[in-house]
Amino acid sequence: MLIPTYNEPVEVLAPTIAAACALQPRHETWVLDDGSRPWVAEMCASFGARVVTRAEHDHAKAGNMNHALDLMAAEEAAGKDPIDVIAVLDCDHVPLPTFLTATLGWFADEEIALIQGPQAFYNSGAFDDDGISGEQGLFFNVLMPSRNVPGAGPFWCGSTSLLRIKALREVGGVATETITEDMHTTLKLIRLGWKTVYHHQTLAVGLAPATADQYLLQRRRWGMGAMQILTYERLWAAKSWMTWRNFHEYINGTLWWLEGIATLIAFIIPMAVMVSGAQTSTAGPVEFTLAFAAMFWVRLWGAKRLMRHQIHWPTAFALRIFRVPVGMACLWWLVSRKSLEFQVTPKGAAELRLRGRAPRILIVLIVIVGAIILYATAGVLGWVPWRTSPGSTIAAGVWLVLAGVVLVLGTLRIRAAEFATSRRSAHRVTVKVPVTVSGVPGQLLDISMGGAAVRVGADALPESGRVLLELPGDARIPLDIVRVWSSSKGEYTASLRVRDRDWEAYRRLSLWLFHTPDNALPGFPPGVPAVATRESA
């Protein structure tokens, strides 16, 4: 089990390592720490994981993994038992108990090189959270399963995956030529005839980008990495070694990142029509509006069913505007071909609580769209010279108003307080179950990798000191009291915190949150972790 890490805080890293070490069957857990942090080595020693560091930190995550592969080969040459399979987890993706037992059987087929699982996220309220399965739900719940057919197969998505060592060595290790090493490595595997499969079962839960800046950074990296692959592998000429299905999937999967340019053009066309006075419709304003509204509604209705209901339109429209700056960045890279560096999506706390800033291009578009709509309105009212017929004005105006609404929705989402940076490193979940605190009965209010809040019925706890939090399922976690206050008549709330470097407390807390004992939580089916609750605090 390989867990690459660089600068993530303990609250993000600890549950992944603790849960990985607890998996069955017997295996080794390697933490690839490119930050060479002493506390990571101390924590891993307590959990039973092995820390691997390197002197040169080239090629980011890909280089980190290749260093581990080289170390495996060297130890095998020195007489150690060979390693046949590696599992890969991003440091914020916590494996569930079935992660290995549900997937290893695939390798009975000697032609399979990669098993990719879905990426699910437990931090409800993340920037791309749509209240269903997140923006990536469409990809992992609809598109990826559709690739599980002969002549196709999924590509490696970096985390929640298992790979055959033999196949990786045949392609020279993890690809380092581009910043999207996962997809690029998959293409190399396909070229040599290896198969990939998708295991559609939630195997791990991770952290989605919580803020607009994190979201944009991640999507821009994915998009420009796709442009690198498109040009480096000359995908437009790859049919000679690809099946038609894979050729279609990879061409569309890379060119899709230029959709933002098409979105920009879709904004510009109605602007040009209205300013130039071009006649685009012979229908009257009422007829056109009714026909457009019916067509648009039917299109949304049909598309949602085609996408298996894995989309929430208000969120989808709000996030769509990000494809404009991403598409522009991708197009600029195709023109400039500047070298790119892998930028890690930041996780954990920020020093200040700041709201997101909309990309400048979006503000410019909002101003232009607003100005043209105002000018068109003045023209229709006869206040300024206007050459377009009412029907054409409505035809272009409806599209322009729709574009303006999408721009405003997206900008408001960026600026929303709930997506501001947080000073907390740990995501809190609301889990209300009976607990005891050093023998005092109470109720759990919320819990995170940093601690918990509990409510007790009497002023029976000291204002400070060490207490033992007993959770359902016989989990006993020593915590420090931060403060106790009267929350209502006869009731007190205690804020509890994990003591710094109390690794055993971190381990027990991790396993209760992510490997939650069966029947510990009312209404939770066996195998569903406590962090799966959709409520957040």
Side-chain angles (χ1 to χ4, degrees):
M1 180 80 71
L2 300 185
I3 305 173
T5 177
Y6 174 56
N7 62 356
E8 295 78 12
V10 62
E11 292 87 354
V12 171
L13 190 55
T16 304
I17 301 173
C21 290
L23 294 178
Q24 294 295 328
R26 187 171 60 88
H27 64 283
E28 295 181 24
T29 299
W30 289 19
V31 178
L32 315 182
D33 183 19
D34 249 2
S36 301
R37 294 159 290 177
W39 67 263
V40 173
E42 184 181 321
M43 179 175 62
C44 289
S46 174
F47 290 174
R50 175 179 177 178
V51 174
V52 176
T53 60
R54 55 181 180 149
E56 296 183 9
H57 304 285
D58 56 341
H59 300 302
K61 177 182 175 180
N64 199 2
M65 291 186 60
N66 284 334
H67 173 260
L69 294 174
D70 291 342
L71 181 58
M72 291 177 196
E75 293 183 350
E76 182 180 338
K80 187 176 179 180
D81 290 341
I83 295 174
D84 301 316
V85 172
I86 58 169
V88 182
L89 286 167
D90 283 348
C91 63
D92 62 310
H93 275 71
V94 186
L96 302 183
T98 55
F99 181 77
L100 295 177
T101 54
T103 54
L104 284 170
W106 282 102
F107 287 113
D109 184 342
E110 296 290 341
E111 296 182 346
I112 290 178
L114 164 72
I115 302 159
Q116 178 62 55
Q119 293 184 6
F121 304 95
Y122 66 88
N123 56 328
S124 57
F127 186 73
D128 69 344
D129 186 7
D130 59 6
I132 303 172
S133 55
E135 189 189 31
Q136 294 192 67
L138 174 63
F139 179 76
F140 284 110
N141 295 331
V142 180
L143 299 181
M144 286 289 269
S146 73
R147 295 184 180 188
N148 240 7
V149 295
F155 62 80
W156 183 24
C157 298
S159 183
T160 320
S161 53
L162 298 91
L163 297 103
R164 192 186 298 271
I165 291 285
K166 177 183 177 182
L168 275 179
R169 287 176 178 165
E170 282 189 11
V171 298
V174 180
T176 58
E177 298 89 345
T178 63
I179 59 173
T180 44
E181 74 290 331
D182 40 20
M183 181 191 285
H184 198 177
T185 302
T186 311
L187 283 171
K188 293 185 175 186
L189 292 169
I190 291 172
R191 190 193 292 265
L192 292 185
W194 287 98
K195 295 179 181 178
T196 65
V197 296
Y198 184 64
H199 187 89
H200 196 194
Q201 174 186 354
T202 301
L203 303 170
V205 289
L207 292 170
T211 68
D213 289 343
Q214 292 173 0
Y215 176 89
L216 186 59
L217 174 67
Q218 184 186 72
R219 269 35 174 199
R220 186 184 284 122
R221 184 181 75 236
W222 290 353
M224 291 195 289
M227 297 303 101
Q228 283 185 304
I229 292 174
L230 177 70
T231 56
Y232 187 89
E233 292 291 345
R234 297 175 58 85
L235 287 183
W236 56 87
K239 181 62 191 70
S240 60
W241 53 273
M242 277 188 174
T243 64
W244 275 110
R245 177 64 183 266
N246 266 334
F247 180 72
H248 164 77
E249 296 282 8
Y250 282 92
I251 281 289
N252 279 278
T254 51
L255 292 179
W256 179 85
W257 289 100
L258 293 171
E259 187 188 26
I261 302 302
T263 300
L264 189 61
I265 293 172
F267 286 173
I268 292 173
I269 288 176
M271 297 182 196
V273 167
M274 296 185 76
V275 171
S276 66
Q279 302 297 315
T280 61
S281 176
T282 58
V286 175
E287 292 88 347
F288 178 86
T289 301
L290 291 174
F292 175 85
M295 176 276 298
F296 194 70
W297 182 86
V298 169
R299 182 178 179 182
L300 295 185
W301 179 87
K304 187 163 188 175
R305 278 145 187 82
L306 183 66
M307 298 173 186
R308 308 297 190 268
H309 297 272
Q310 295 290 307
I311 193 166
H312 181 243
W313 287 122
T315 305
F317 281 127
L319 295 177
R320 184 181 177 88
I321 66 167
F322 272 98
R323 297 178 195 170
V324 174
V326 170
M328 292 178 67
C330 291
L331 182 62
W332 174 245
W333 184 87
L334 287 174
V335 173
S336 66
R337 302 294 177 90
K338 289 186 176 181
S339 61
L340 299 175
E341 293 184 0
F342 187 98
Q343 293 182 292
V344 177
T345 305
K347 298 289 194 302
E351 292 183 0
L352 298 173
R353 183 166 172 79
L354 301 174
R355 298 193 183 198
R357 292 182 296 177
R360 187 173 301 174
I361 180 63
L362 302 184
I363 301 299
V364 171
L365 283 174
I366 289 175
V367 172
I368 293 175
V369 168
I372 291 178
I373 290 175
L374 289 175
Y375 185 75
T377 303
V380 170
L381 295 174
W383 297 348
V384 296
W386 192 250
R387 294 173 294 173
T388 305
S389 66
S392 296
T393 300
I394 291 294
V398 167
W399 276 109
L400 206 56
V401 169
L402 182 62
V405 169
V406 170
L407 286 167
V408 170
L409 281 175
T411 304
L412 290 175
R413 189 177 183 90
I414 294 169
R415 294 290 300 161
E418 60 263 38
F419 303 123
T421 56
S422 173
R423 296 187 182 93
R424 295 181 178 274
S425 292
H427 177 72
R428 293 187 296 168
V429 293
T430 301
V431 183
K432 295 183 178 180
V433 292
V435 297
T436 62
V437 184
S438 292
V440 178
Q443 183 185 48
L444 183 66
L445 300 179
D446 63 64
I447 189 167
S448 73
M449 280 305 301
V454 297
R455 180 173 295 152
V456 293
D459 187 12
L461 296 178
E463 294 184 358
S464 62
R466 193 101 158 140
V467 293
L468 188 67
L469 175 64
E470 298 183 53
L471 297 166
D474 200 31
R476 302 180 180 186
I477 304 169
L479 299 171
D480 288 335
I481 295 177
V482 178
R483 67 188 184 106
V484 179
W485 68 96
S486 176
S487 52
S488 62
K489 186 175 181 180
E491 291 186 325
Y492 290 80
T493 299
S495 175
L496 311 176
R497 179 176 58 196
V498 180
R499 181 172 294 181
D500 186 37
R501 300 202 176 188
D502 186 345
W503 306 125
E504 181 59 19
Y506 277 117
R507 189 188 69 82
R508 294 181 186 180
L509 190 52
S510 300
L511 295 181
W512 191 84
L513 281 170
F514 294 93
H515 290 191
T516 309
D518 292 347
N519 303 317
L521 300 177
F524 271 55
V528 176
V531 294
T533 176
R534 292 295 296 175
E535 296 184 46
S536 60

